[in-house]
């Protein structure tokens, strides 16, 4: 690139470069054309191709690349990403659980007993009836 301002790309623009013949990545706010590096990447080309169309910074950092690998990136630099075009990561918030109310426990037990006790009485009645017929 010349001495001018770096080119700024939107994520939509970068996302179009997602094939083995044309592969761009976004890492630390910079855009890299890694197409020529696909065959030489120690982790294989699939790893790079799967990181297209998004901010691949976390993917890159999680691997723990060497200093020489990071220095190598300069030759693939093509510009900056417009950070406003990258969707913000939404922090996961678990769904609200209904608060456990101990006061309702007796209510539940009563409802359960209202169901179970008649069934037991009915079962007992049939049992007695069957037993008395067999004598």
């Amino acid at each position: 690139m010349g001495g001018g301002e770096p080119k700024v790309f939107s994520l939509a623009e970068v996302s179009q470069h997602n094939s083995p013949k044309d592969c761009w990545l976004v890492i630390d706010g910079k855009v890299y054309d890694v197409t020529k590096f696909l065959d030489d990447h120690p982790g294989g080309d699939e790893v790079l191709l799967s990181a297209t169309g998004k901010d691949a910074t976390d993917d890159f950092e999680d691997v723990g690349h060497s200093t020489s690998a990071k220095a190598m990136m300069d030759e693939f630099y093509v510009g900056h990403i417009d950070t406003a075009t990258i969707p913000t990561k939404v922090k996961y918030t678990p769904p609200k659980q209904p608060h456990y109310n101990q006061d309702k426990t007796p209510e539940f037990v009563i409802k359960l007993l209202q169901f179970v006790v008649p069934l037991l009485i009915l079962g007992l009645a049939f049992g007695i009836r069957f037993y008395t017929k067999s004598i």
Side-chain angles (χ1 to χ4, degrees):
M1 292 222 120
E5 288 290 310
K7 178 127 172 64
V8 177
F9 298 95
S10 70
L11 185 61
E13 289 175 295
V14 175
S15 296
Q16 292 172 3
H17 304 272
N18 60 3
S19 74
K21 292 182 171 45
D22 184 21
C23 181
W24 288 18
L25 298 179
V26 176
I27 300 169
D28 283 328
K30 295 179 180 176
V31 179
Y32 299 93
D33 180 352
V34 296
T35 310
K36 292 177 185 158
F37 185 61
L38 288 176
D39 291 335
D40 299 326
H41 185 252
D45 62 349
E46 283 300 315
V47 177
L48 298 177
L49 289 166
S50 69
T52 60
K54 63 177 183 175
D55 183 346
T57 305
D58 289 343
D59 296 344
F60 181 81
E61 295 297 334
D62 288 347
V63 173
H65 286 89
S66 65
T67 310
S68 60
K70 291 179 182 180
M72 232 177 149
M73 292 168 63
D74 289 345
E75 69 182 271
F76 303 110
Y77 172 80
V78 290
H80 276 74
I81 189 73
D82 178 356
T83 53
T85 65
I86 297 177
T88 54
K89 290 181 182 161
V90 180
K91 186 176 178 285
Y92 174 74
T93 50
K96 293 248 186 250
Q97 296 291 327
H99 183 67
Y100 179 68
N101 187 348
Q102 289 183 329
D103 296 340
K104 291 197 175 195
T105 304
E107 201 176 298
F108 171 74
V109 171
I110 291 168
K111 283 185 179 180
L112 185 66
L113 287 174
Q114 285 175 337
F115 178 75
V116 172
V117 171
L119 283 178
L120 288 173
I121 293 170
L122 191 61
L124 187 62
F126 275 115
I128 292 171
R129 186 170 175 213
F130 176 76
Y131 179 73
T132 54
K133 278 190 174 181
S134 64
I135 295 180

